[in-house]
Amino acid sequence: METRNRVMAAAMAMTMTSAMMIGAPLAAAAQPVTLYGVLDTGVEYVNHVGPSGRSLTRVPTITGTFPSRWGIRGSEDLGGGMKAVFALESGIGMDTGSLNQGGRLFGLQAWVGLNGPWGQASIGRQLTMLLWALQDTDVMGPNIYGIGAFDNYLPNARVDNALAYKGTFGAVTLGATYSPGRDTVNAGPGPSGMNCAGETPGSSRTCRAWSALLAYRTEHWGVNGAADVSRGGPGAFGGLVRPDQQDRRLTTGGYVRLDRARVAVNWIRRDNDATATRSDVFAAGVSYDVTPAFNLAGQVSRLRYRHGANAAALLALRGTYSLGRRTMVYATSGFIDNDGQLALSVSGGAPGSAPAAGATQFGTMVGVRHAF
C-alpha cells in the first residue's frame, strides 16, 4: 500500500507498441511506449475563509492526494547498456478539465535524454532535485493538506530549459539541474508560471536556476540533502525582478522503513532576497499500513519566520482504502494555526480559500483516485 502511495508508483500503466518514427525504415524494430495517468478528485470543505469567516465547498482544481495527470514515456535500446528515453506529462484540472501549470500542454514534464550505467542525462522541462529529495522525506507529498500550504513551490519544483543529471551508484544518488531560463509562462504569482524569461542576451544570470542532490538510501533507511536556487529577472513574479536577487531553498531529511510503517522528517530553510525574509519549515510524519488495503498517514509541520512574529503550524491526516490495484478512495483533513500577520490557507487545492490574518482554518476532503 505504501509503495502505491508514493509519487512514482501512483502512475500505474498499460504498455502499447509505438508507431515507427516518420522516415524510419519499415524494418525498424518497434520500441515500447507507455501511456499512463492518474485521475484524482473529490469534494472539499474549508471553513473560516476570508475576513468574514465564511465556509467554502468545492471540487479542487489542483490536487487531492495526488495531482491528476496523463503522460507518455518511452525508450529505445541503443546497445551497450545505453537507452534513449523521453517523457511527456500533462497536468489536468479535474474540476473543469483544463490544463494546469499555466496552460502548458506538457507542464509537468517534457524531456528527452540518454540513460546508461553512468546515470541519466536529459534536456527539457523537468523536476528539480528539491522535489526528488522531498519524495523521500515528505510523508504527505502533494496531498491537498501538507507543507505546500507553507510554500507552494515545494510540491511544484520544476524548471523550463533544464539540463539534468541523476545517477545512482550503490546506495548513493547524485543529481543536479541547470536552467538558463527557469519559467517564461505568465500564469499569475505562483509556481505554475513565474513570468521569468530565459536565455537573456547579455545576462547569464537573468532567471537562471540550479539544483543539486546527494542521497544515501538502504533497504530500511535513507538520508538526503538538496539545494534549489532561482534568480530573478524583469517582470518576474514573487518580487524577484532583478538578476542579483535569489530565492534559495536548502533541505535535509531522512526516513526509516519498519515492518508496515515509514517514519520521515525534514527541514527546509528558505532565504528570499526579494522579501528579505528567512524561514524554516520542520515536518515529521508517519505512514502506516493497517491492512494491505488500508493506509493511515499523518504529519505535523511548523513554519517559522526569523526575526518576526509570523509563524504557522499544520496538522494533516489521511486515510486511503484500495478497492483494487488501480482504484482507491480516501478521506483527508488538515488544520492550520496562523500567527502574526500570516494568512495561509490550509488547502492547496485552489486559490481563494485564505483565512483572515492570524486565524485558524480547518479543511477536509473525500475523493477517489484511479491510475491507468
Side-chain angles (χ1 to χ4, degrees):
M1 178 67 184
E2 167 61 24
T3 302
R4 290 200 297 269
N5 278 338
R6 299 193 58 196
V7 172
M8 299 308 295
M12 301 183 67
M14 64 179 185
T15 303
M16 65 181 185
T17 302
S18 68
M20 295 180 182
M21 296 178 59
I22 296 176
L26 294 178
Q31 298 295 330
V33 171
T34 299
L35 171 67
Y36 65 92
V38 178
L39 304 177
D40 186 328
T41 190
V43 178
E44 180 191 25
Y45 168 84
V46 183
N47 71 3
H48 297 175
V49 177
S52 65
R54 66 191 186 276
S55 62
L56 172 65
T57 301
R58 65 184 175 185
V59 175
T61 301
I62 302 172
T63 189
T65 62
F66 192 76
S68 298
R69 63 191 63 200
W70 74 275
I72 306 169
R73 291 182 182 272
S75 65
E76 180 185 6
D77 191 342
L78 303 177
M82 185 178 295
K83 294 181 179 180
V85 291
F86 77 91
L88 298 170
E89 195 170 76
S90 177
I92 305 168
M94 290 295 289
D95 56 341
T96 64
S98 61
L99 294 173
N100 287 335
Q101 290 73 50
R104 293 174 172 93
L105 177 57
F106 296 111
L108 292 176
Q109 298 185 80
W111 55 263
V112 64
L114 297 174
N115 181 287
W118 40 266
Q120 179 170 298
S122 51
I123 304 173
R125 177 168 171 80
Q126 302 180 72
L127 313 182
T128 77
M129 294 299 142
L130 176 68
L131 195 52
W132 285 111
L134 291 177
Q135 286 184 14
D136 281 346
T137 61
D138 180 12
V139 167
M140 301 305 286
N143 192 66
I144 194 168
Y145 311 119
I147 60 174
F150 297 152
D151 179 359
N152 60 8
Y153 180 77
L154 297 178
N156 296 285
R158 296 173 175 83
V159 287
D160 295 346
N161 308 303
L163 309 176
Y165 168 80
K166 189 155 72 77
T168 298
F169 309 94
V172 177
T173 295
L174 304 171
T177 64
Y178 174 83
S179 169
R182 58 188 172 89
D183 192 340
T184 61
V185 169
N186 183 335
S192 293
M194 292 177 282
N195 198 38
C196 203
E199 294 99 352
T200 303
S203 177
S204 62
R205 297 193 302 170
T206 298
C207 297
R208 186 173 66 191
W210 64 269
S211 68
L213 167 71
L214 174 61
Y216 186 89
R217 301 184 183 96
T218 71
E219 182 180 357
H220 299 292
W221 63 276
V223 293
N224 66 42
D228 187 299
V229 179
S230 298
R231 287 189 175 271
F237 295 132
L240 292 171
V241 295
R242 302 197 315 266
D244 62 322
Q245 294 175 321
Q246 297 185 75
D247 196 359
R248 301 176 293 276
R249 294 171 177 86
L250 300 174
T251 184
T252 186
Y255 65 91
V256 175
R257 294 186 184 278
L258 306 174
D259 181 29
R260 293 192 291 175
R262 182 166 66 97
V263 180
V265 297
N266 65 60
W267 163 74
I268 304 163
R269 166 73 180 270
R270 183 182 182 187
D271 297 331
N272 189 311
D273 292 342
T275 58
T277 58
R278 289 166 172 75
S279 62
D280 297 279
V281 172
F282 304 91
V286 178
S287 176
Y288 180 72
D289 291 334
V290 180
T291 72
F294 181 46
N295 175 269
L296 284 176
Q299 184 168 275
V300 292
S301 50
R302 173 78 171 170
L303 166 66
R304 180 176 61 89
Y305 282 88
R306 302 189 179 195
H307 313 299
N310 289 345
L314 176 69
L315 171 65
L317 300 171
R318 181 181 63 208
T320 59
Y321 184 81
S322 294
L323 300 176
R325 291 188 59 195
R326 297 183 291 122
T327 304
M328 65 174 58
V329 292
Y330 61 85
T332 183
S333 298
F335 177 82
I336 194 168
D337 184 4
N338 288 289
D339 290 328
Q341 295 303 306
L342 282 188
L344 299 177
S345 175
V346 70
S347 174
S353 60
T360 62
Q361 189 176 61
F362 170 79
T364 189
M365 179 178 177
V366 293
V368 60
R369 188 172 91 190
H370 177 76
F372 64 88

